[in-house]
């Protein structure tokens, strides 16, 4: 189990203190290492529980040029096969783990196609410094959680809601629509949560936030 988090500030610099607060709140999910990948408007971060590639797999993980960073919660079951395929196409790997596979796949394919090619239980975030694009994705059955909040200029995401609430713009307000849903079903159906404005990324979906647009959510399975 790991924890991922981060935020994007449209038209401004991301708040590093917010992400540091998120990392502290998610430390129980990954006490072995933590790291950030910082772009012009966004930061993505990870608390790592070291299981695969204990030596070289600490976050953040990037492509060869360092322009594209990825943070991952979960495990890719077929990453060794993917590494071999990517290696034959000229990609160079700096780690022995599974996260780096995502970075290299994103160099070749659009995010939805990358998610389709992944076999595992995962939630990941990727940031391209060159384009400013932020990508979130979740596995097919929603094994790994991922929540986000967007108000038109500020985007916040994390593996747990309390880390989304770490941003001062996000208020802990009850969504009254959640109460009848919970009483009827025993849970709050995705993408809604108990908190107004905070959504759960649906399973088998990819969220893309480009530098000049609003988040788009697209299913891949």
């Amino acid at each position: 189990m790991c924890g991922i988090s981060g935020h994007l500030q449209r038209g401004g610099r991301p708040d590093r203190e917010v992400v540091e607060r998120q990392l502290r709140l998610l430390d129980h999910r990954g006490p072995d290492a933590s790291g950030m990948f910082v772009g012009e408007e966004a930061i993505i971060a990870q608390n790592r529980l070291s299981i695969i590639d204990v030596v070289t797999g600490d976050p953040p993980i990037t492509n060869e040029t360092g322009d594209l960073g990825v943070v991952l919660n979960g495990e890719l079951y077929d990453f060794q096969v993917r590494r071999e395929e990517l290696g034959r196409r000229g990609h160079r790997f700096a780690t022995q783990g599974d996260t780096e596979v995502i970075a290299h796949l994103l160099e070749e394919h659009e995010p939805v196609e990358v998610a389709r090619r992944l076999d595992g239980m995962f939630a990941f975030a990727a940031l391209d410094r060159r384009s400013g694009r932020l990508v979130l994705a979740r596995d097919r059955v929603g094994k790994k959680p991922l929540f986000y909040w967007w108000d038109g200029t500020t985007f916040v995401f994390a593996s747990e809601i309390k880390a989304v609430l770490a941003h001062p713009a996000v208020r802990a307000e009850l969504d009254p629509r959640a109460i009848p849903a919970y009483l009827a079903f025993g849970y709050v159906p995705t993408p809604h949560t108990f908190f107004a404005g905070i959504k759960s990324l649906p399973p088998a979906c990819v969220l893309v936030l480009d530098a000049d647009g609003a988040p788009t959510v697209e299913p891949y399975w």
Side-chain angles (χ1 to χ4, degrees):
M1 179 173 69
C2 297
I4 63 174
S5 57
H7 94 93
L8 177 146
Q9 187 62 49
R10 180 64 49 77
R13 299 292 296 176
D15 191 335
R16 192 183 184 96
E17 291 185 2
V18 167
V19 182
E20 290 173 347
R21 194 177 308 131
Q22 289 182 311
L23 288 171
R24 291 193 297 271
L25 288 168
L26 297 176
D27 184 66
H28 62 284
R29 298 184 68 93
D32 296 326
S34 64
M36 299 182 187
F37 183 76
V38 182
E40 185 175 341
E41 292 187 341
I43 300 174
I44 60 176
Q46 179 181 349
N47 298 81
R48 186 183 186 220
L49 179 64
S50 302
I51 297 176
I52 297 174
D53 188 16
V54 175
V55 177
T56 64
D58 286 346
I61 302 297
T62 69
N63 63 347
E64 300 99 321
T65 62
D67 293 315
L68 196 155
V70 179
V71 292
L72 170 69
N73 173 27
E75 180 182 350
L76 304 183
Y77 303 141
D78 62 344
F79 77 96
Q80 292 174 325
V81 174
R82 296 297 182 191
R83 281 174 61 92
E84 292 175 2
E85 294 172 349
L86 288 160
R88 288 194 295 269
R89 294 200 292 272
H91 293 271
R92 303 186 308 276
F93 285 80
T95 75
Q96 298 298 315
D98 51 356
T99 306
E100 195 176 359
V101 166
I102 300 172
H104 294 297
L105 285 173
L106 283 167
E107 291 181 295
E108 295 189 354
H109 305 286
E110 286 298 306
V112 167
E113 181 57 29
V114 170
R116 287 197 185 106
R117 291 168 180 260
L118 301 180
D119 178 13
M121 54 176 184
F122 60 83
F124 75 78
L127 175 63
D128 190 330
R129 284 174 173 161
R130 296 161 299 185
S131 66
R133 169 181 278 187
L134 177 66
V135 176
L136 307 183
R138 198 169 172 210
D139 62 74
R140 287 166 175 78
V141 297
K143 182 75 173 178
K144 295 300 180 181
L146 195 53
F147 302 94
Y148 68 94
W149 179 90
W150 165 253
D151 71 349
T153 57
T154 303
F155 184 88
V156 188
F157 74 91
S159 295
E160 297 183 16
I161 289 177
K162 66 182 179 182
V164 177
L165 292 168
H167 195 289
V170 186
R171 302 180 63 180
E173 296 182 343
L174 175 68
D175 185 347
R177 297 172 298 177
I179 298 175
Y182 180 77
L183 293 175
F185 306 120
Y187 66 96
V188 180
T190 301
H192 304 291
T193 70
F194 276 108
F195 295 86
I198 299 179
K199 295 182 178 180
S200 173
L201 182 64
C205 283
V206 171
L207 181 150
V208 175
L209 180 56
D210 283 315
D212 57 354
T216 61
V217 176
E218 183 178 350
Y220 64 86
W221 184 66

